[in-house]
Each structure stands twice: as C-alpha cells, then as structure tokens.
Amino acid sequence: MDKLKIFKEINRDIKKKLSPNVDLHLHTNWTDGKNTVFQMYKYACKKKLKKILFSEHARSTSSDWFGSFAEEVNSLSKKSCRAYVGAEVKILNFKGDLDINSKIRKKVDFVMASVHRFPGETNINKRETIDKYLKKEAIEIEYELSKKAIKNSNFEILGHPFGMSYSRYKAKPNWSLFQDLIKLCKKYNKAFEINSNYHPSINKIVNECLKEGTLMSLGSNAHSVKEVGKINTFFK
Ligand SMILES: [Zn+2]
Ligand SMILES: [Zn+2]
C-alpha cells in the first residue's frame, strides 16, 4: 500500500482547484476531545468529507486503550467517508526521536509527529516553563526538533509545524524557516500539515508546498463536532 497516496490526492485536488474534502486531524473523548469517535464520524459524513484521520494523542506508554480506540475507528462504515487510525505523538528530543512504541505503530494507518513540549519540560501549563524561553529561542527549538524528526524518524505527517511558537509564544517564525521545513519534508517524503487551528497564512503555505512539490496533509485539530472539516472551508 502506498501510504502517501492520500496526500498525493490532496495535492492533486488542490492543483486542480478542487476541494480535497478531508480533515486529517481529529481528537475524540478517547483523549482530550469532547465527542466520541461515532459522533465525529457522523458529523464528517454530514459535512461530506471523503476522508478523515483520527490522529489521537498517544505516547510510548499508552497501549491499553489504544487498541480499543483503533478497533472503534476500524468498525466505522467506510461507505461515504473513509476513517483512518492515527497517532499524534510528540517529538522527544534533538535526535528527533518520537514518543511511540511498536505496538501502536502496528495499529495505525498514519503517524503524526508534533512538537508539543520542549525537551525537559514536564508541565506545559506552568508559567515558568513558558517564560523560560524568548520567542526567538522558542522558534529555534521548534525548528530544530522538527528538522531532526523529519531526518531521523519514521512517520508520515509533520503535525502543525511551528504550532507551539504561534500558540504558546505568540511568535511568528521567519518565512524562510517554513520554506526550509517544506523543502526538507519533500526530501524525506513526509507530508507537511497545514492546520487551520494554528496557521495564519494558509494560502501562502499551500502555494509553497505546491511550488516545492511537498505533500500536504490538511487538518483542523478538531476537538468537537463543531470543528470537524474547518480546514476544508479554505478550499471551497
Ligand atoms: Zn498537536
Ligand atoms: Zn492534535
């Protein structure tokens, strides 16, 4: 199976000015989302999405619930909308290692690697960990973690690149850093996620990916039914 086919189709649709009708970044009440897998799926069908990815938060220590979650997603009817099992895992360190185990890898269709914490942080909500870094440093750390993961780790989607800099640090990375990661994703065959919850200039990123021939993944980071398919409104 060509794992990257789903992203190739997104690029093809966008090139043809067609709406991709996908949302490849959903969370449910298996972790921090509000709704169930079934509720999210029903809403995706109502919104006429063709493909969705339940990119549930996972760690190398999660195994008990993950199997049941995967089973639930796999039990969905695939008629109107195809649902995939995913794991959104964090990039752990400057080697680019991911917080995932082999058991989870076997159960997922796609792995999404995201920067969620900086190395050494335990509680991301603590004010002092946020204050520890200047905006500039935060951007550099996020860039470096992403770069190493793209080069050294096995996954399909780079989740919300620079999302931490934007959301936690209110920092705006230089465009050249975006360009670097987009190029690197192309080189290492990863899909660069464009996320309506984090990215301010979606069109600009889309055009850069098209220019470089980098595969794109599209996601809303939806944590409730209301948010399902948000990313798709940019392509209508
Ligand atoms: Zn995330
Ligand atoms: Zn997420």
Side-chain angles (χ1 to χ4, degrees), residues 25 57 88 114 116 160 198 221:
H25 198 140
H57 296 292
E88 181 181 16
S114 302
H116 278 158
H160 51 70
Y198 291 95
N221 196 35

Side-chain angles (χ1 to χ4, degrees), residues 189-214:
N189 260 319
K190 317 279 197 218
F192 188 96
E193 188 196 33
I194 299 168
N195 194 303
S196 53
N197 190 49
Y198 291 95
H199 291 135
S201 34
I202 288 180
N203 283 333
K204 195 175 176 187
I205 305 173
V206 168
N207 288 333
E208 187 68 19
C209 287
L210 287 179
K211 194 183 100 196
E212 294 297 335
T214 303

Side-chain angles (χ1 to χ4, degrees), residues 6-7 10 20-27 40 43-44 47-55 81-84 112 157 193-197 217-233:
I6 187 168
F7 311 111
I10 290 174
N21 288 322
V22 300
D23 192 341
L24 305 182
H25 198 140
L26 307 179
H27 295 286
M40 297 292 269
Y43 207 80
K47 287 237 149 181
K48 302 215 169 5
L49 298 181
K50 289 184 293 191
K51 292 165 200 158
I52 55 171
L53 173 65
F54 287 97
S55 55
C81 174
R82 176 78 210 262
Y84 295 93
M112 178 187 290
I157 306 166
E193 188 196 33
I194 299 168
N195 194 303
S196 53
N197 190 49
S217 181
L218 304 177
S220 302
N221 196 35
H223 283 73
S224 69
V225 290
K226 286 186 303 231
E227 297 160 282
V228 174
K230 245 186 182 172
I231 183 67
N232 210 48
T233 58

Side-chain angles (χ1 to χ4, degrees), residues 2-234:
D2 179 9
K3 276 217 170 194
L4 300 178
K5 194 175 163 225
I6 187 168
F7 311 111
K8 289 174 186 167
E9 284 172 359
I10 290 174
N11 279 44
R12 195 196 57 200
D13 283 349
I14 294 176
K15 254 190 231 163
K16 287 187 186 164
K17 310 238 182 283
L18 298 170
S19 179
N21 288 322
V22 300
D23 192 341
L24 305 182
H25 198 140
L26 307 179
H27 295 286
T28 72
N29 63 356
W30 277 105
T31 63
D32 59 353
K34 280 199 190 88
N35 297 101
T36 64
V37 163
F38 301 105
Q39 288 166 336
M40 297 292 269
Y41 182 72
K42 214 174 124 190
Y43 207 80
C45 293
K46 210 171 109 188
K47 287 237 149 181
K48 302 215 169 5
L49 298 181
K50 289 184 293 191
K51 292 165 200 158
I52 55 171
L53 173 65
F54 287 97
S55 55
E56 207 53 282
H57 296 292
R59 317 163 163 237
S60 56
T61 49
S62 20
S63 50
D64 301 348
W65 64 272
F66 200 88
S68 316
F69 152 70
E71 261 174 46
E72 209 170 279
V73 173
N74 288 327
S75 77
L76 297 167
S77 121
K78 291 170 180 72
K79 269 185 230 151
S80 47
C81 174
R82 176 78 210 262
Y84 295 93
V85 180
E88 181 181 16
V89 300
K90 72 171 181 287
I91 301 169
L92 285 169
N93 51 38
F94 291 108
K95 287 190 284 176
D97 294 331
L98 304 185
D99 193 2
I100 190 169
N101 63 38
S102 55
K103 233 174 153 181
I104 291 178
R105 278 197 183 275
K106 278 192 201 115
K107 291 192 190 324
V108 298
D109 299 306
F110 301 102
V111 175
M112 178 187 290
S114 302
V115 175
H116 278 158
R117 291 178 191 192
F118 291 164
E121 282 181 338
T122 47
N123 186 347
I124 56 164
N125 297 316
K126 269 195 187 155
R127 193 66 234 175
E128 58 260 39
T129 57
I130 297 178
D131 290 341
K132 212 170 117 189
Y133 300 105
L134 299 169
K135 288 183 182 197
K136 205 175 135 238
E137 290 170 330
I139 293 168
E140 274 165 21
I141 294 171
E142 186 158 18
Y143 173 68
E144 216 40 49
L145 290 169
S146 309
K147 215 165 81 173
K148 291 292 162 51
I150 297 170
K151 286 186 179 170
N152 300 334
S153 283
N154 180 16
F155 64 92
E156 285 76 35
I157 306 166
L158 182 67
H160 51 70
F162 292 115
M164 282 299 96
S165 300
Y166 279 119
S167 66
R168 273 174 71 190
Y169 294 91
K170 311 292 171 227
K172 195 176 172 244
N174 272 336
W175 178 239
S176 64
L177 298 181
F178 264 95
Q179 289 177 305
D180 278 1
L181 291 187
I182 288 171
K183 273 204 184 87
L184 212 59
C185 278
K186 163 75 182 168
K187 188 173 170 195
Y188 288 89
N189 260 319
K190 317 279 197 218
F192 188 96
E193 188 196 33
I194 299 168
N195 194 303
S196 53
N197 190 49
Y198 291 95
H199 291 135
S201 34
I202 288 180
N203 283 333
K204 195 175 176 187
I205 305 173
V206 168
N207 288 333
E208 187 68 19
C209 287
L210 287 179
K211 194 183 100 196
E212 294 297 335
T214 303
L215 295 175
M216 286 174 262
S217 181
L218 304 177
S220 302
N221 196 35
H223 283 73
S224 69
V225 290
K226 286 186 303 231
E227 297 160 282
V228 174
K230 245 186 182 172
I231 183 67
N232 210 48
T233 58
F234 289 90

